[in-house]
């Protein structure tokens, strides 16, 4: 299967799911997750209607993005952010950081941003599945966490992100996504934060995520095939 064909098939599946859910497919942003894949593979994706790319490691993004300058519309960071990588990450000008989940890192990011007079759009990563191996704020702590973040003037919270439950049980996956959507609606009631993005759904569960209201889906394998070893 070619990357071009994969993208065409994926877009059809997104359209079908959106239709089933009574949604406009144009409201769903396809973020192509390019981790472990080569610059050449990413270029093929960019030549075939991919506009938004995401990486989960700062160092890898630093190595690849300079070769792709001007080719993509937005770069998003989706991995766990370590505070000692903030400076390098900011040089890559991410349009959105999906993975804020600790106050101390958020504060350090805010400090760095105020030093360079910039604002950064971020999402809060929520661990909606309760799996211990996952990063993210507990759903019941998310409101307080967002309140704390709203005190940081250089961060702009624009939504929530989650990684679906690692299971083949569709109902369990769906419940996670529903939890996140409910939180999203609840936080929307707070006039201090502008909830725009609900980032959920990957290759194995994006159709469920679209049915449950995702407006950013993060897709790697369905575009590039299985991942290369790092
Ligand atoms: C790797 C990754 C994805 C994409 O995973 P696929 O299953 O290959 O689609 C999405 N989100 C995050 C945070 C990732 O690390």
């Amino acid at each position: 299967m070619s990357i071009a064909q994969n993208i065409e098939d994926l877009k059809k599946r997104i359209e079908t799911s959106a239709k089933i859910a009574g949604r406009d497919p144009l409201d769903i942003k396809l973020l192509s997750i390019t981790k472990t894949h080569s610059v050449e593979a990413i270029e093929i994706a960019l030549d075939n209607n991919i506009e938004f790319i995401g990486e989960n490691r700062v160092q890898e993004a630093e190595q690849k993005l300079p070769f792709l300058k001007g080719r993509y519309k937005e770069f998003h960071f989706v991995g766990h952010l370590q505070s000692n990588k903030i400076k390098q990450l900011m040089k890559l000008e991410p349009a959105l950081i999906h993975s804020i989940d600790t106050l101390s890192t958020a504060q350090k990011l805010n400090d760095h941003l105020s030093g360079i007079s910039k604002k950064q759009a971020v999402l809060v990563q929520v661990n909606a599945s309760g799996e211990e191996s996952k990063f993210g704020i507990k759903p019941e702590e998310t409101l307080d966490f967002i309140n704390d973040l709203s005190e940081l003037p250089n961060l702009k919270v624009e939504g929530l992100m989650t990684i679906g439950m690692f299971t083949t049980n569709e109902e369990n996956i769906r419940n996670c996504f529903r939890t996140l959507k409910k939180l999203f609606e609840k936080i929307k009631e707070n006039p201090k934060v502008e909830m725009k993005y609900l980032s959920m759904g990957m290759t194995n569960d994006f159709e469920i995520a679209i049915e449950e209201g995702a407006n950013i889906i993060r897709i790697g394998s369905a575009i590039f095939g299985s991942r290369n070893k790092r």
Side-chain angles (χ1 to χ4, degrees):
M1 266 297 193
S2 72
I3 290 172
Q5 186 64 50
N6 287 347
I7 293 169
E8 204 180 308
D9 293 348
L10 174 62
K11 294 221 169 180
K12 280 196 196 119
R13 284 171 68 191
I14 294 169
E15 236 169 76
T16 304
S17 309
K19 267 194 197 127
I20 290 170
R23 302 183 53 200
D24 183 349
L26 296 175
D27 291 341
I28 299 156
K29 193 164 184 167
L30 170 57
L31 180 64
S32 165
I33 304 297
T34 53
K35 66 184 189 215
T36 81
H37 298 292
S38 67
V39 168
E40 291 74 21
I42 302 168
E43 280 175 329
I44 296 171
L46 293 169
D47 285 338
N48 286 278
N49 298 317
I50 291 296
E51 303 177 295
F52 309 107
I53 60 174
E55 286 277 340
N56 75 335
R57 290 192 188 174
V58 175
Q59 204 178 345
E60 185 179 339
E62 248 181 341
Q63 284 163 1
K64 296 191 302 198
L65 293 192
F67 294 102
L68 298 162
K69 221 85 223 142
R71 304 283 310 274
Y72 54 86
K73 243 191 198 155
E74 291 178 3
F75 159 63
H76 293 206
F77 186 71
V78 301
H80 186 66
L81 180 56
Q82 291 167 297
S83 56
N84 62 355
K85 296 278 164 59
I86 287 171
K87 204 172 156 187
Q88 289 106 297
L89 177 60
M90 284 306 109
K91 283 194 184 140
L92 301 173
E93 303 188 323
L96 191 61
I97 298 175
H98 288 231
S99 42
I100 296 298
D101 68 353
T102 54
L103 193 55
S104 65
T105 305
Q107 283 163 337
K108 281 179 190 138
L109 178 58
N110 186 69
D111 288 347
H112 178 76
L113 288 161
S114 79
I116 56 173
S117 302
K118 272 195 174 173
K119 283 202 175 197
Q120 176 66 51
V122 301
L123 306 182
V124 168
Q125 182 170 350
V126 179
N127 183 355
S129 68
E131 289 163 291
E132 271 182 35
S133 58
K134 290 218 176 95
F135 290 111
I137 299 280
K138 290 189 181 127
E140 62 272 23
E141 291 168 4
T142 305
L143 271 128
D144 283 343
F145 183 66
I146 286 183
N147 253 325
D148 291 342
L149 292 185
S150 70
E151 305 293 320
L152 303 173
N154 295 72
L155 294 191
K156 212 168 154 311
V157 177
E158 294 193 336
L160 304 176
M161 177 272 232
T162 200
I163 295 175
M165 192 180 250
F166 188 67
T167 172
T168 52
N169 183 320
E170 216 184 283
E171 271 323 291
N172 290 347
I173 296 170
R174 192 177 294 280
N175 283 333
C176 283
F177 292 157
R178 278 199 184 149
T179 300
L180 200 70
K181 168 74 167 163
K182 274 191 202 142
L183 260 178
F184 182 79
E185 295 299 334
K186 177 92 197 140
I187 297 161
K188 259 190 173 172
E189 294 168 11
N190 179 349
K192 277 198 287 187
V193 282
E194 186 196 8
M195 286 276 116
K196 281 206 293 205
Y197 297 117
L198 191 53
S199 166
M200 55 187 196
M202 308 180 9
T203 292
N204 289 324
D205 56 17
F206 73 87
E207 281 145 321
I208 305 171
I210 289 173
E211 286 169 29
E212 298 304 327
N215 60 11
I216 300 181
I217 56 172
R218 309 179 309 267
I219 309 291
S221 320
I223 295 173
F224 297 104
S226 56
R227 262 185 288 284
N228 300 316
K229 291 216 174 74
R230 295 210 200 239

